[in-house]
Amino acid sequence: MTFETWLAFTAASAVLLVIPGPTILLVVSYALGQGWRPALPMAVGVALGDFTAMTLSLLGLGALLAASATLFTALKWAGAAYLVWLGIKLWRAGGALDAKPRTDATSALKMLGHAWLVTALNPKSLTFFIAFLPQFIDPKLALLPQVVVFAATFLILAFANVITYALIASRARSVVQSPRTMRVINRTGGSLLIGAGVATVALRAGQG
């Protein structure tokens, strides 16, 4: 892949990971109740969960690409439309992050497992990866090297994102509990998702 493609994927992934979801809600809840200590096991669990969801999605994408390049292109169009819809929904979402502190005594292993389950078994994660990843995959190139680079990049960013959220929640609780802050994050992320979907459609139309 080109450096520009990798850079675009990295930038898009970083923005998307910052948007609060079930995983971030869980991380913040533990951090609010127990400080920064849960950050590492939670980050490992989230990375493993993302790896699981991404692997399942990529297996399906690989089979689809092998079966029909036309169907793979159709999936890209559908994925672009999904990103626009997701962006609109995110823009209209409320600003509050309803994270209640978790003070129950939980081992690091249980925290890791909880984060893995919440991340891996979230249907939205699978749907998102199926819609998001094809936008950056070039069907003319070997699939495996692209998958390895994209997966490694995303997992490193996901790990760093969880650590950052946990540290902020434990040190500056008012930030993650501020509806105004969350509204800005949601609307910024929503706008970028809409832009990504529209740009993808425009690019496909230009290539056609």
Side-chain angles (χ1 to χ4, degrees), residues 13-78:
S13 298
V15 170
L16 295 169
L17 284 167
V18 171
I19 299 171
T23 298
I24 294 302
L25 191 64
L26 178 67
V27 171
V28 170
S29 294
Y30 272 112
L32 289 175
Q34 303 182 32
W36 59 269
R37 291 178 180 82
L40 183 58
M42 295 295 290
V44 173
V46 169
L48 290 175
D50 279 327
F51 178 76
T52 302
M54 185 179 289
T55 299
L56 293 174
S57 301
L58 287 169
L59 287 174
L61 292 175
L64 182 62
L65 180 57
S68 171
T70 301
L71 286 177
F72 189 78
T73 300
L75 179 63
K76 285 192 173 187
W77 281 96

Side-chain angles (χ1 to χ4, degrees), residues 29-167:
S29 294
Y30 272 112
L32 289 175
Q34 303 182 32
W36 59 269
R37 291 178 180 82
L40 183 58
M42 295 295 290
V44 173
V46 169
L48 290 175
D50 279 327
F51 178 76
T52 302
M54 185 179 289
T55 299
L56 293 174
S57 301
L58 287 169
L59 287 174
L61 292 175
L64 182 62
L65 180 57
S68 171
T70 301
L71 286 177
F72 189 78
T73 300
L75 179 63
K76 285 192 173 187
W77 281 96
Y82 175 75
L83 292 179
V84 172
W85 176 82
L86 196 62
I88 294 173
K89 187 177 180 181
L90 192 60
W91 174 269
R92 299 174 62 183
L97 184 61
D98 186 21
K100 298 179 180 179
R102 298 179 64 102
T103 56
D104 49 307
T106 306
S107 67
L109 186 59
K110 286 185 177 180
M111 288 182 188
L112 188 155
H114 195 179
W116 173 74
L117 285 174
V118 170
T119 306
L121 300 182
N122 183 4
K124 291 183 178 179
S125 295
L126 294 172
T127 305
F128 171 75
F129 282 128
I130 290 174
F132 180 64
L133 287 172
Q135 311 305 327
F136 301 92
I137 292 177
D138 187 344
K140 297 177 182 178
L141 301 177
L143 180 62
L144 184 58
Q146 296 182 80
V147 167
V148 170
V149 172
F150 287 148
T153 301
F154 192 91
L155 294 179
I156 291 171
L157 291 174
F159 184 91
N161 183 61
V162 170
I163 293 290
T164 301
Y165 256 109
L167 291 177

